[in-house]
Amino acid sequence: MRIRMMTDLHYALHADPVGDSYYKEYLKRFFGDGPAADRYVSLGDLTQNGTEREYRAAFETIDSLGRRDAFLHIPGNHDLLEADCRQTEQWGSTPPVSEGFGAVETESTTLLFLNSCQVRKPLDWGGRLDGARLQLLGSKLAEANGKPVLVFAHHPLPDTTALSDRPMMRVEEAAALTELMNEATGPCFWFNGHNHIQSIVRKAAWTCVQTASALCLPCYREVIVSDDAVKVTTTILNDPALEELAERSLDGFPSFHRVPPAKAAGSAQDQSIEVRFGPRNV
């Protein structure tokens, strides 16, 4: 299975039409480059302001690229500034993710999508996981039986990837979540965005993979799941024309967690990882 991930695109409708062209050019590359993926995943903040116009414009572009059936989106804090998940999912039509969370089971892995975001909280962009989401995570971890569990959320786990030691840059009030995670026995992966910087950290059974904002650093990750390994790679597009368009788009934001590309890329160790495991018992 091949999964391609992006995050923090912050699709906006600028007064300057040139500022909007970045999103369309980036999405063409995200969906069109290299071998086709089985799933294409947005880790949140697909839109900047969470408005209906932004959602519909973003999904119109995605629809035009022919990969819509394989695309999954979980919300980021910016996506929920104007409306809750039920409304934004009507604007975007995002099965099998419903109300921000859901699961896809395959023979080789469990894909779990967790909405870690609060609704209409412009001044508190930290993550929260309520009881329903924790219960879903706990049940899927218990059912895995050695099969890898891949969790996709917008916020990082606390004290793992870059900047996750800071308030509002992580899942907050995470004691119950940490207790659940400590009970995991098989290979587990937590994929997130939010902090705009590439980072990979291993912690007990968990491998935490944070992806940079596609607006700060035009890039995407790929996750390749095989019978005995999960491999994560990074593609940085290195396209001067695309980078210039990204700068034009960023210039249209009055405020933004702007990370210079060199910092957003992280270190060499933050670009890829391969986690190998033996055959599971069935």
Side-chain angles (χ1 to χ4, degrees), residues 25-221:
E25 292 303 316
Y26 171 81
L27 288 170
K28 285 180 184 177
R29 299 287 302 272
F30 177 71
F31 287 104
D33 281 4
D38 299 289
R39 302 275 180 180
Y40 297 84
V41 176
S42 161
L43 292 171
D45 283 0
L46 181 67
T47 65
Q48 169 65 8
N49 302 294
T51 65
E52 181 176 1
R53 289 184 64 228
E54 286 178 346
Y55 262 94
R56 293 197 182 279
F59 278 94
E60 181 179 349
T61 300
I62 293 166
D63 288 342
S64 73
L65 296 171
R67 303 282 188 187
R68 184 65 177 81
D69 290 345
F71 180 67
L72 299 106
H73 167 64
I74 53 173
N77 51 292
H78 280 258
D79 295 317
L80 300 181
L81 287 174
E82 293 290 328
D84 63 18
C85 285
R86 290 186 181 182
Q87 182 62 71
T88 60
E89 286 166 5
Q90 288 178 8
W91 297 336
S93 181
T94 56
V97 177
S98 177
E99 295 189 45
F101 61 105
V104 175
E105 296 281 357
T106 74
E107 289 186 4
S108 60
T109 189
T110 296
L111 311 181
L112 185 58
F113 303 90
L114 291 180
N115 171 21
S116 61
C117 297
Q118 304 176 85
V119 179
R120 301 184 187 92
K121 294 276 190 172
L123 300 181
D124 182 0
W125 50 91
R128 299 289 191 283
L129 289 176
D130 63 16
R133 292 169 180 82
L134 289 172
Q135 184 177 12
L136 177 64
L137 175 60
S139 66
K140 293 302 178 183
L141 290 174
E143 294 166 7
N145 192 29
K147 185 168 67 173
V149 177
L150 278 58
V151 181
F152 302 86
H154 183 62
H155 292 86
L157 296 167
D159 301 312
T160 56
T161 51
L163 304 184
S164 66
D165 58 337
R166 303 182 185 183
M168 297 194 287
M169 305 297 275
R170 61 195 180 188
V171 176
E172 307 287 355
E173 301 170 4
L177 172 61
T178 301
E179 183 177 350
L180 268 181
M181 292 173 56
N182 288 340
E183 295 174 358
T185 56
C188 299
F189 299 80
W190 185 281
F191 299 101
N192 67 272
H194 190 56
N195 291 351
H196 296 188
I197 298 174
Q198 300 278 93
S199 183
I200 297 177
V201 172
R202 296 197 69 178
K203 196 169 185 178
W206 290 83
T207 301
C208 303
V209 179
Q210 180 170 288
T211 299
S213 165
L215 196 55
C216 295
L217 179 72
C219 69
Y220 57 79
R221 300 262 204 196

